[in-house]
mmCIF file of all heavy atoms in Angstrom:
data_model
loop_
_atom_site.group_PDB
_atom_site.id
_atom_site.type_symbol
_atom_site.label_atom_id
_atom_site.label_comp_id
_atom_site.label_asym_id
_atom_site.label_seq_id
_atom_site.Cartn_x
_atom_site.Cartn_y
_atom_site.Cartn_z
ATOM 1 N N SER A 34 134.559 -145.576 34.402
ATOM 2 C CA SER A 34 134.293 -146.741 33.568
ATOM 3 C C SER A 34 132.836 -146.764 33.069
ATOM 4 O O SER A 34 132.629 -147.110 31.899
ATOM 5 C CB SER A 34 134.515 -148.029 34.443
ATOM 6 O OG SER A 34 135.858 -148.105 34.851
ATOM 7 N N VAL A 35 131.915 -146.358 33.856
ATOM 8 C CA VAL A 35 130.502 -146.314 33.427
ATOM 9 C C VAL A 35 130.359 -145.217 32.313
ATOM 10 O O VAL A 35 129.709 -145.464 31.290
ATOM 11 C CB VAL A 35 129.599 -145.948 34.605
ATOM 12 C CG1 VAL A 35 128.178 -145.607 34.063
ATOM 13 C CG2 VAL A 35 129.491 -147.109 35.603
ATOM 14 N N ILE A 36 130.962 -144.099 32.484
ATOM 15 C CA ILE A 36 130.915 -143.011 31.485
ATOM 16 C C ILE A 36 131.558 -143.434 30.157
ATOM 17 O O ILE A 36 131.021 -143.266 29.105
ATOM 18 C CB ILE A 36 131.566 -141.763 32.046
ATOM 19 C CG1 ILE A 36 130.812 -141.212 33.253
ATOM 20 C CG2 ILE A 36 131.707 -140.690 30.959
ATOM 21 C CD1 ILE A 36 131.488 -140.035 33.950
ATOM 22 N N VAL A 37 132.762 -144.013 30.301
ATOM 23 C CA VAL A 37 133.484 -144.524 29.121
ATOM 24 C C VAL A 37 132.664 -145.568 28.331
ATOM 25 O O VAL A 37 132.573 -145.535 27.116
ATOM 26 C CB VAL A 37 134.886 -145.044 29.464
ATOM 27 C CG1 VAL A 37 135.571 -145.712 28.347
ATOM 28 C CG2 VAL A 37 135.739 -143.899 29.918
ATOM 29 N N ARG A 38 132.092 -146.510 29.062
ATOM 30 C CA ARG A 38 131.326 -147.562 28.405
ATOM 31 C C ARG A 38 130.081 -146.969 27.714
ATOM 32 O O ARG A 38 129.751 -147.376 26.616
ATOM 33 C CB ARG A 38 130.790 -148.611 29.475
ATOM 34 C CG ARG A 38 129.903 -149.640 28.938
ATOM 35 C CD ARG A 38 130.583 -150.458 27.858
ATOM 36 N NE ARG A 38 129.686 -151.398 27.218
ATOM 37 C CZ ARG A 38 129.499 -152.740 27.546
ATOM 38 N NH1 ARG A 38 130.242 -153.170 28.590
ATOM 39 N NH2 ARG A 38 128.681 -153.500 26.935
ATOM 40 N N ALA A 39 129.483 -145.917 28.368
ATOM 41 C CA ALA A 39 128.287 -145.245 27.700
ATOM 42 C C ALA A 39 128.731 -144.537 26.448
ATOM 43 O O ALA A 39 127.918 -144.476 25.487
ATOM 44 C CB ALA A 39 127.637 -144.348 28.695
ATOM 45 N N LEU A 40 129.910 -143.991 26.433
ATOM 46 C CA LEU A 40 130.338 -143.131 25.323
ATOM 47 C C LEU A 40 130.961 -143.946 24.217
ATOM 48 O O LEU A 40 130.761 -143.666 23.029
ATOM 49 C CB LEU A 40 131.354 -142.048 25.808
ATOM 50 C CG LEU A 40 130.749 -141.050 26.751
ATOM 51 C CD1 LEU A 40 131.871 -140.035 27.216
ATOM 52 C CD2 LEU A 40 129.614 -140.177 26.036
ATOM 53 N N VAL A 41 131.809 -144.928 24.651
ATOM 54 C CA VAL A 41 132.573 -145.686 23.628
ATOM 55 C C VAL A 41 132.003 -147.063 23.299
ATOM 56 O O VAL A 41 132.188 -147.602 22.182
ATOM 57 C CB VAL A 41 134.056 -145.849 24.136
ATOM 58 C CG1 VAL A 41 134.861 -146.588 23.139
ATOM 59 C CG2 VAL A 41 134.675 -144.449 24.409
ATOM 60 N N GLY A 42 131.293 -147.657 24.301
ATOM 61 C CA GLY A 42 130.850 -148.989 24.071
ATOM 62 C C GLY A 42 131.901 -149.994 24.614
ATOM 63 O O GLY A 42 132.912 -149.601 25.216
ATOM 64 N N ALA A 43 131.703 -151.239 24.369
ATOM 65 C CA ALA A 43 132.557 -152.312 24.824
ATOM 66 C C ALA A 43 133.772 -152.426 23.936
ATOM 67 O O ALA A 43 133.717 -153.057 22.853
ATOM 68 C CB ALA A 43 131.858 -153.638 24.882
ATOM 69 N N ASP A 44 134.896 -151.756 24.227
ATOM 70 C CA ASP A 44 136.077 -151.763 23.426
ATOM 71 C C ASP A 44 137.252 -152.336 24.272
ATOM 72 O O ASP A 44 137.559 -151.833 25.299
ATOM 73 C CB ASP A 44 136.366 -150.373 22.968
ATOM 74 C CG ASP A 44 137.580 -150.316 22.065
ATOM 75 O OD1 ASP A 44 137.429 -150.676 20.909
ATOM 76 O OD2 ASP A 44 138.697 -149.943 22.551
ATOM 77 N N ASP A 45 137.887 -153.385 23.730
ATOM 78 C CA ASP A 45 138.928 -154.068 24.500
ATOM 79 C C ASP A 45 140.141 -153.171 24.682
ATOM 80 O O ASP A 45 140.678 -153.157 25.806
ATOM 81 C CB ASP A 45 139.368 -155.316 23.799
ATOM 82 C CG ASP A 45 138.297 -156.414 23.694
ATOM 83 O OD1 ASP A 45 137.341 -156.322 24.490
ATOM 84 O OD2 ASP A 45 138.339 -157.293 22.839
ATOM 85 N N GLN A 46 140.552 -152.439 23.756
ATOM 86 C CA GLN A 46 141.712 -151.588 23.852
ATOM 87 C C GLN A 46 141.509 -150.437 24.859
ATOM 88 O O GLN A 46 142.349 -150.156 25.668
ATOM 89 C CB GLN A 46 142.114 -150.984 22.479
ATOM 90 C CG GLN A 46 143.425 -150.119 22.495
ATOM 91 C CD GLN A 46 144.627 -150.976 22.884
ATOM 92 O OE1 GLN A 46 144.892 -151.939 22.194
ATOM 93 N NE2 GLN A 46 145.269 -150.661 23.961
ATOM 94 N N THR A 47 140.322 -149.878 24.838
ATOM 95 C CA THR A 47 139.913 -148.798 25.780
ATOM 96 C C THR A 47 139.949 -149.354 27.209
ATOM 97 O O THR A 47 140.398 -148.740 28.155
ATOM 98 C CB THR A 47 138.497 -148.200 25.451
ATOM 99 O OG1 THR A 47 138.611 -147.692 24.100
ATOM 100 C CG2 THR A 47 138.198 -147.131 26.469
ATOM 101 N N ALA A 48 139.403 -150.601 27.361
ATOM 102 C CA ALA A 48 139.393 -151.221 28.665
ATOM 103 C C ALA A 48 140.834 -151.434 29.173
ATOM 104 O O ALA A 48 141.070 -151.124 30.355
ATOM 105 C CB ALA A 48 138.634 -152.545 28.608
ATOM 106 N N ALA A 49 141.654 -151.893 28.329
ATOM 107 C CA ALA A 49 143.051 -152.184 28.811
ATOM 108 C C ALA A 49 143.748 -150.874 29.098
ATOM 109 O O ALA A 49 144.507 -150.794 30.122
ATOM 110 C CB ALA A 49 143.771 -152.906 27.633
ATOM 111 N N ASP A 50 143.491 -149.838 28.332
ATOM 112 C CA ASP A 50 144.204 -148.523 28.596
ATOM 113 C C ASP A 50 143.713 -147.983 29.890
ATOM 114 O O ASP A 50 144.570 -147.373 30.671
ATOM 115 C CB ASP A 50 143.906 -147.559 27.416
ATOM 116 C CG ASP A 50 144.562 -147.943 26.116
ATOM 117 O OD1 ASP A 50 145.521 -148.766 26.190
ATOM 118 O OD2 ASP A 50 144.118 -147.498 25.025
ATOM 119 N N LEU A 51 142.430 -148.026 30.167
ATOM 120 C CA LEU A 51 141.922 -147.428 31.383
ATOM 121 C C LEU A 51 142.308 -148.164 32.618
ATOM 122 O O LEU A 51 142.759 -147.551 33.619
ATOM 123 C CB LEU A 51 140.393 -147.321 31.303
ATOM 124 C CG LEU A 51 139.680 -146.613 32.457
ATOM 125 C CD1 LEU A 51 140.170 -145.203 32.624
ATOM 126 C CD2 LEU A 51 138.201 -146.628 32.262
ATOM 127 N N LEU A 52 142.266 -149.524 32.546
ATOM 128 C CA LEU A 52 142.655 -150.320 33.661
ATOM 129 C C LEU A 52 144.129 -150.260 33.954
ATOM 130 O O LEU A 52 144.617 -150.226 35.089
ATOM 131 C CB LEU A 52 142.170 -151.769 33.500
ATOM 132 C CG LEU A 52 140.712 -152.066 33.453
ATOM 133 C CD1 LEU A 52 140.461 -153.542 33.196
ATOM 134 C CD2 LEU A 52 139.999 -151.593 34.736
ATOM 135 N N GLY A 53 144.878 -150.108 32.886
ATOM 136 C CA GLY A 53 146.329 -150.021 33.060
ATOM 137 C C GLY A 53 146.755 -148.667 33.524
ATOM 138 O O GLY A 53 147.615 -148.510 34.423
ATOM 139 N N GLY A 54 146.133 -147.570 32.982
ATOM 140 C CA GLY A 54 146.554 -146.207 33.343
ATOM 141 C C GLY A 54 145.945 -145.720 34.652
ATOM 142 O O GLY A 54 146.667 -145.175 35.511
ATOM 143 N N LEU A 55 144.665 -145.899 34.862
ATOM 144 C CA LEU A 55 144.028 -145.330 36.043
ATOM 145 C C LEU A 55 144.036 -146.320 37.184
ATOM 146 O O LEU A 55 144.339 -145.968 38.305
ATOM 147 C CB LEU A 55 142.579 -144.911 35.727
ATOM 148 C CG LEU A 55 141.780 -144.314 36.927
ATOM 149 C CD1 LEU A 55 142.424 -143.111 37.479
ATOM 150 C CD2 LEU A 55 140.361 -143.936 36.456
ATOM 151 N N ALA A 56 143.731 -147.545 36.929
ATOM 152 C CA ALA A 56 143.686 -148.551 38.060
ATOM 153 C C ALA A 56 145.060 -149.028 38.494
ATOM 154 O O ALA A 56 145.401 -148.760 39.634
ATOM 155 C CB ALA A 56 142.802 -149.747 37.558
ATOM 156 N N LEU A 57 145.782 -149.666 37.625
ATOM 157 C CA LEU A 57 147.040 -150.258 38.081
ATOM 158 C C LEU A 57 148.148 -149.228 38.272
ATOM 159 O O LEU A 57 148.929 -149.380 39.230
ATOM 160 C CB LEU A 57 147.505 -151.259 37.019
ATOM 161 C CG LEU A 57 148.656 -152.201 37.458
ATOM 162 C CD1 LEU A 57 148.229 -153.040 38.722
ATOM 163 C CD2 LEU A 57 149.068 -153.100 36.367
ATOM 164 N N ALA A 58 148.266 -148.248 37.427
ATOM 165 C CA ALA A 58 149.377 -147.308 37.527
ATOM 166 C C ALA A 58 149.141 -146.203 38.560
ATOM 167 O O ALA A 58 150.126 -145.597 39.048
ATOM 168 C CB ALA A 58 149.597 -146.624 36.178
ATOM 169 N N THR A 59 147.843 -145.923 38.866
ATOM 170 C CA THR A 59 147.596 -144.839 39.835
ATOM 171 C C THR A 59 146.877 -145.252 41.037
ATOM 172 O O THR A 59 147.292 -145.040 42.215
ATOM 173 C CB THR A 59 146.678 -143.799 39.098
ATOM 174 O OG1 THR A 59 147.376 -143.359 37.914
ATOM 175 C CG2 THR A 59 146.492 -142.543 39.962
ATOM 176 N N MET A 60 145.712 -145.906 40.934
ATOM 177 C CA MET A 60 144.935 -146.267 42.099
ATOM 178 C C MET A 60 145.570 -147.301 43.037
ATOM 179 O O MET A 60 145.610 -147.086 44.243
ATOM 180 C CB MET A 60 143.543 -146.878 41.642
ATOM 181 C CG MET A 60 142.530 -147.193 42.749
ATOM 182 S SD MET A 60 141.130 -147.957 42.193
ATOM 183 C CE MET A 60 141.776 -149.590 41.710
ATOM 184 N N VAL A 61 146.111 -148.372 42.461
ATOM 185 C CA VAL A 61 146.708 -149.357 43.280
ATOM 186 C C VAL A 61 147.869 -148.889 44.168
ATOM 187 O O VAL A 61 147.886 -149.089 45.383
ATOM 188 C CB VAL A 61 147.103 -150.591 42.472
ATOM 189 C CG1 VAL A 61 147.704 -151.676 43.365
ATOM 190 C CG2 VAL A 61 145.942 -151.171 41.722
ATOM 191 N N PRO A 62 148.810 -148.194 43.581
ATOM 192 C CA PRO A 62 149.917 -147.716 44.419
ATOM 193 C C PRO A 62 149.573 -146.744 45.459
ATOM 194 O O PRO A 62 150.074 -146.670 46.591
ATOM 195 C CB PRO A 62 150.929 -147.102 43.401
ATOM 196 C CG PRO A 62 150.142 -146.903 42.164
ATOM 197 C CD PRO A 62 149.119 -147.948 42.150
ATOM 198 N N ILE A 63 148.577 -145.799 45.118
ATOM 199 C CA ILE A 63 148.118 -144.820 46.069
ATOM 200 C C ILE A 63 147.441 -145.462 47.276
ATOM 201 O O ILE A 63 147.637 -145.122 48.465
ATOM 202 C CB ILE A 63 147.216 -143.742 45.381
ATOM 203 C CG1 ILE A 63 148.041 -142.863 44.498
ATOM 204 C CG2 ILE A 63 146.539 -142.864 46.464
ATOM 205 C CD1 ILE A 63 147.241 -141.842 43.766
ATOM 206 N N ILE A 64 146.572 -146.479 46.989
ATOM 207 C CA ILE A 64 145.945 -147.195 48.055
ATOM 208 C C ILE A 64 146.971 -147.960 48.880
ATOM 209 O O ILE A 64 146.845 -148.034 50.111
ATOM 210 C CB ILE A 64 144.873 -148.137 47.526
ATOM 211 C CG1 ILE A 64 143.684 -147.286 46.969
ATOM 212 C CG2 ILE A 64 144.347 -149.075 48.578
ATOM 213 C CD1 ILE A 64 142.604 -148.072 46.238
ATOM 214 N N GLY A 65 147.968 -148.481 48.214
ATOM 215 C CA GLY A 65 149.049 -149.150 48.919
ATOM 216 C C GLY A 65 149.794 -148.230 49.827
ATOM 217 O O GLY A 65 150.121 -148.628 50.967
#
Side-chain angles (χ1 to χ4, degrees):
S34 299
V35 171
I36 295 173
V37 170
R38 176 61 187 265
L40 295 176
V41 179
D44 182 77
D45 294 341
Q46 186 62 59
T47 301
D50 291 342
L51 184 59
L52 293 179
L55 180 56
L57 191 62
T59 304
M60 181 185 71
V61 180
I63 290 178
I64 291 177

